[in-house]
């Protein structure tokens, strides 16, 4: 994988593009004017590992709340850049509420709904002027569901005059790309530096996303924000996001990502952050937290104990990582194996930094532990989980350098 060389944009203290690590971001689903709920969710997303958080700024009450939200986040030690998501009325809100314009770290502008007809260019220019005046980067975020209808009609008309016209689907994809690039170039002409621009072209189909971003990356050098929009709920959203973005990332395309999952009822919003981190980590692009290697189970492992232990250890690693991160270097790259029987258990445990091979059905009820490929102890009894956590703690203390 060769990462495409893009311009680097600073969003707060976070570098996007230009060879910087791929940035994980997320978005709140609270009413922004509800400052308490919004601050709480941003903190939750940030603590889960979101390096940038986007909020909706869609009305006056929300715009008025932004500066207080930003102040409270700083008071809580949260330095994650906050991105304002504007549609339809962003030019009015930024003009009327300068504290909002100052407090946000980036503006997201959708060329498809920044304005209609003759007002489009004028209102787009107003948004860009605010970005220049307040020294803020901008994401030109085009979306399949809110495409610039004037540009689409123009390209459809031009296509109809061709001897061999393209399909309407192909013209729509070209409209997405043109809308993003033309808008970014227009922003530059208005005086916004090219190192203040990030672009995105979001669609909801895996193959369309791959095609659009592959084409887009060849035609511009702006940092690219990746996301499969309206990815869906549960496994569908995870699989489709990983399939599309995994392909693009493997080909060096993408500088910041969001996994746009529909949350299950009562499910934490942090799931999209965890999925994004795990996508990057399993591809070997970044490390965020020690990963658990565990087997799927079979007829040799009729007990659920190894499944429960694998889940418990993964949760423990994530929960304890902030403490380890402050004390030790590179703990996030550690792998921990939790295996369920003697077929692959010892081998996988030996290949991990530290691993435990639990007994399968009918096997001797003991669990050997391997550290750096060597068996160090055998656990048994009812305290295996707590004993293994203690061994992990000691392993980290003995194998990772203190900061």
């Amino acid at each position: 994988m060769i990462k495409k060389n893009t311009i680097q944009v600073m969003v707060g203290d976070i570098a996007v593009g230009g060879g910087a690590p791929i940035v994980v971001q997320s978005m709140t689903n609270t009413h922004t004017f509800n400052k308490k709920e919004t601050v709480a969710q941003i903190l939750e997303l940030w603590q889960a590992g979101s390096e940038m958080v986007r909020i909706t700024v869609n009305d006056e009450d929300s715009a008025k709340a932004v500066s207080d939200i930003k102040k409270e986040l700083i008071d809580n030690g949260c330095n994650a850049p906050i991105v304002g998501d504007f549609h339809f009325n962003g030019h009015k809100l930024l003009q009327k509420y300068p504290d909002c314009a100052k407090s946000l770290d980036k503006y997201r502008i959708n060329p498809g709904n920044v304005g209609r007809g003759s007002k489009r260019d004028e209102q787009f220019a107003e948004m860009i002027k605010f970005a220049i005046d307040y020294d803020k980067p901008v994401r030109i975020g085009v979306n399949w569901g809110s495409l610039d209808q004037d540009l689409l009609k123009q390209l459809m008309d031009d296509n109809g005059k061709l001897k061999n016209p393209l399909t309407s689907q192909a013209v729509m994809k070209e409209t997405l790309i043109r809308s993003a690039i033309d808008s970014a170039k227009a922003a530059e002409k208005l005086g916004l530096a090219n190192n203040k621009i990030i672009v995105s072209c979001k669609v909801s189909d895996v193959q369309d996303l791959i095609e659009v971003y592959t084409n887009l990356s060849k035609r511009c050098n702006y940092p690219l924000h990746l996301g499969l929009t309206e990815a869906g709920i549960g496994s569908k959203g995870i699989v489709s996001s990983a399939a599309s973005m995994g392909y693009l990332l493997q080909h060096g395309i993408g500088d910041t990502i969001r996994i746009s999952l529909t949350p299950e009822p009562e499910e934490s919003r942090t799931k999209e952050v965890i999925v994004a981190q795990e996508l990057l980590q399993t591809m070997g692009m970044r490390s965020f937290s020690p990963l658990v290697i565990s087997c799927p189970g079979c007829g040799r492992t009729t007990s659920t104990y190894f499944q429960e232990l694998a889940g418990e250890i993964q949760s423990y690693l994530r929960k304890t990582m902030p403490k380890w991160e402050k004390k030790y270097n590179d703990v996030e790259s550690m792998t921990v194996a939790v295996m369920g029987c003697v077929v692959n258990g010892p081998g996988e445990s030996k290949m991990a930094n530290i691993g435990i091979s639990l007994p399968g059905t009918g096997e001797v009820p003991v669990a050997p532990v391997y550290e750096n490929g060597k068996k160090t102890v055998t656990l048994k009894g009812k305290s295996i989980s707590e004993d293994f956590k203690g061994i992990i703690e000691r392993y980290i203390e003995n194998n990772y350098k203190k900061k």
Side-chain angles (χ1 to χ4, degrees):
M1 187 275 296
I2 300 175
K3 195 170 190 301
K4 184 179 182 292
N5 184 29
T6 55
I7 298 164
Q8 187 166 100
V9 176
M10 294 301 300
V11 184
D13 294 329
I14 302 292
V16 179
I22 297 162
V23 175
V24 172
Q25 60 179 281
S26 59
M27 186 175 183
T28 60
N29 62 354
T30 59
H31 293 297
T32 302
F33 59 77
N34 188 324
K35 291 183 281 189
K36 183 178 180 181
E37 286 188 1
T38 301
V39 167
Q41 191 172 83
I42 292 172
L43 289 173
E44 184 184 26
L45 290 165
W46 172 65
Q47 287 162 357
S50 182
E51 295 159 301
M52 199 180 301
V53 182
R54 182 158 48 112
I55 62 174
T56 297
V57 187
N58 61 329
D59 54 29
E60 293 196 18
D61 288 338
S62 295
K64 283 189 284 189
V66 168
S67 61
D68 287 342
I69 289 169
K70 183 67 175 179
K71 182 180 182 303
E72 192 166 342
L73 290 170
I74 292 171
D75 289 344
N76 278 276
C78 175
N79 59 356
I82 305 302
V83 182
D85 194 57
F86 294 100
H87 300 275
F88 308 110
N89 60 353
H91 59 295
K92 294 180 180 179
L93 296 175
L94 289 173
Q95 181 178 36
K96 190 169 183 179
Y97 299 100
D99 284 346
C100 170
K102 293 175 188 175
S103 299
L104 292 168
D105 297 284
K106 184 175 76 172
Y107 308 154
R108 186 277 175 110
I109 304 174
N110 185 339
N113 57 34
V114 72
R116 302 296 185 192
S118 60
K119 292 186 176 181
R120 179 197 178 280
D121 290 346
E122 177 187 337
Q123 292 172 187
F124 179 81
E126 286 183 55
M127 294 285 289
I128 297 302
K129 184 178 184 301
F130 289 121
I132 295 169
D133 289 347
Y134 292 105
D135 193 28
K136 305 295 183 180
V138 166
R139 171 157 73 94
I140 307 292
V142 182
N143 193 290
W144 187 265
S146 52
L147 205 49
D148 183 339
Q149 294 302 304
D150 292 336
L151 179 59
L152 177 60
K153 183 179 183 303
Q154 175 195 324
L155 295 186
M156 284 289 190
D157 290 344
D158 292 345
N159 183 62
K161 297 172 185 176
L162 298 176
K163 183 177 180 181
N164 297 303
L166 301 171
T167 64
S168 59
Q169 187 86 346
V171 176
M172 289 183 73
K173 293 174 190 175
E174 176 62 17
T175 305
L176 278 164
I177 296 167
R178 278 281 304 276
S179 179
I181 294 176
D182 291 355
S183 297
K185 294 299 181 186
E188 285 194 59
K189 286 182 181 179
L190 290 164
L192 187 67
N194 64 2
N195 68 349
K196 293 288 186 181
I197 300 171
I198 296 169
V199 300
S200 65
C201 286
K202 290 189 174 184
V203 299
S204 56
D205 179 83
V206 169
Q207 296 299 336
D208 287 337
L209 192 82
I210 290 171
E211 183 180 343
V212 166
Y213 271 91
T214 299
N215 198 341
L216 177 64
S217 71
K218 294 175 181 176
R219 293 166 60 175
C220 76
N221 204 34
Y222 303 110
L224 301 182
H225 167 71
L226 294 188
L228 188 77
T229 192
E230 292 89 39
I233 194 167
S235 60
K236 187 271 177 186
I238 294 171
V239 170
S240 56
S241 294
S244 54
M245 286 191 273
Y247 176 93
L248 292 166
L249 292 167
Q250 188 65 27
H251 286 79
I253 300 170
D255 301 282
T256 175
I257 67 170
R258 182 198 172 197
I259 304 292
S260 300
L261 297 178
T262 303
E264 302 272 4
E266 306 302 321
E267 183 177 50
S268 171
R269 192 74 164 174
T270 59
K271 186 172 183 178
E272 67 177 55
V273 178
I274 293 169
V275 173
Q277 290 180 329
E278 289 180 348
L279 173 62
L280 294 175
Q281 187 154 347
T282 54
M283 293 185 70
M285 294 178 175
R286 287 191 67 183
S287 294
F288 299 92
S289 178
L291 289 181
V292 169
I293 299 167
S294 57
C295 65
C298 65
R300 300 178 63 93
T301 56
T302 53
S303 167
T304 61
Y305 185 73
F306 88 93
Q307 301 162 354
E308 294 161 2
L309 183 62
E312 187 176 339
I313 295 300
Q314 182 71 82
S315 297
Y316 163 74
L317 294 173
R318 282 195 168 276
K319 183 178 178 181
T320 318
M321 184 59 201
K323 181 189 79 172
W324 292 331
E325 192 175 29
K326 292 176 183 177
K327 294 178 62 178
Y328 303 101
N329 291 309
D330 302 322
V331 179
E332 64 274 12
S333 63
M334 182 175 69
T335 57
V336 180
V338 179
M339 302 300 293
C341 79
V342 297
V343 174
N344 293 318
E348 289 282 3
S349 296
K350 289 176 183 177
M351 286 188 280
N353 294 106
I354 181 170
I356 184 169
S357 180
L358 296 164
T361 304
E363 294 175 4
V364 178
V366 294
V369 174
Y370 298 84
E371 300 177 41
N372 298 328
K374 296 181 179 180
K375 180 180 172 182
T376 56
V377 67
T378 298
L379 301 179
K380 54 186 175 181
K382 296 181 179 180
S383 61
I384 286 178
S385 176
E386 293 307 312
D387 290 344
F388 189 52
K389 290 175 187 176
I391 292 170
I392 292 173
E393 287 276 4
R394 289 192 294 276
Y395 178 88
I396 291 170
E397 186 176 345
N398 294 330
N399 287 271
Y400 292 92
K401 291 183 179 179
K402 289 187 176 181
K403 292 186 175 180

